[in-house]
Amino acid sequence: MTNSKQTRNPGTALNLDWVNNIQANTSATERRAATLGTRRSVKKDHQAAWLIKAIGLIDLTTLAGDDTEQRVRRLCAKAKNPLRQDLKDALGIGDMKLTTAAICVYHDMLATAHKALEGTDIHLAAVSTGFPAGLTPHELKVAEIKASVAAGADEIDVVITRKHVFQQNWQALYDEIKEYREACGDAHLKTILATGELATLRNVAKASMVCMMAGADFIKTSTGKESVNATLPVSLTMIRQIRDYLDLTGHKVGYKPAGGISKAKDALVYLSMMKEELGNDWLEPELFRFGASSLLADIERQLEHHVTGHYSAAHRHAMG
């Protein structure tokens, strides 16, 4: 399938003035982030509605070294039916067509996932470009993207070359992402910054802007393999660059926090942050995704508690 609702970011010429003018006030960002989870939260039916919304924003992911075709097929089945029918009925959404936004897998599992998702509107994402370290030869990275698109992926999650950020070689980072975008063709490009390895929020901010100028459809925090993955200060930094890029160009870019988001309450914090910082357009899958594997299980568990008043055992909501 194709991503058709949202006009793609065409990118711009590299403007080093934009990049060099970027500042990042770490202490102010951290203070703001610390307030996000402490405000009065939504309750009861409103909370249930927000959690149902969150389900449709999940890139349900398996990126393990021991992945099997059977596990991927089970994950695809869960993506197609993420919430039990009895819970949907009890929540008053029995007839709602509810799925996750996407399935995200390694290239090797694309054929299995593509077959399992036939006839659905669920996107198929592949991690690429030597994920997670991104240290394979450049020509192989480009070939990997093209192979994944040919195998049915309509979204490609690439990792940037971190040394370009540390060396402040913005031209090299721009050229790299621009070539990845061209290799994607009609498939949407998500650029993974590996923010836990970029050392400073200023590096995160500048890398975000360069990737967007090069034509990224989404900027994404992490591979999920770093020691530090998505955090609220990093997220604030990145989405404020999305806002600045929109102001500068008129083009909207999506955001994908990934790694470490496993609790329903965390999803609620992220949704409120997106609404406050960027607006309602970023509450739709065209512009916002959760990269997650266990988040869906906790959301389902919280919704069951909302319906029954009791918590079920976590193992009853296994993903694979």
Side-chain angles (χ1 to χ4, degrees), residues 136-146 179-180:
T136 53
H138 179 74
E139 60 272 17
L140 296 183
K141 295 178 183 180
V142 174
E144 186 181 6
I145 291 171
K146 292 179 178 178
E179 189 168 358
Y180 293 164

Side-chain angles (χ1 to χ4, degrees), residues 74 78 84 263 293-294 296-302 304 311-320:
R74 287 200 303 265
K78 189 64 177 176
R84 296 199 322 263
K263 299 298 182 184
S293 55
S294 56
L296 178 56
D298 194 58
I299 290 176
E300 189 172 25
R301 189 165 176 257
Q302 297 300 325
E304 183 166 351
Y311 282 112
S312 61
H315 66 78
R316 292 190 58 223
H317 305 282
M319 290 298 102

Side-chain angles (χ1 to χ4, degrees), residues 76 79-80 102-103 112-124:
C76 291
K80 291 189 283 188
I103 285 284
T112 299
H114 187 257
K115 183 176 181 180
L117 296 176
E118 279 182 344
T120 75
D121 292 329
I122 300 169
H123 293 288
L124 179 54

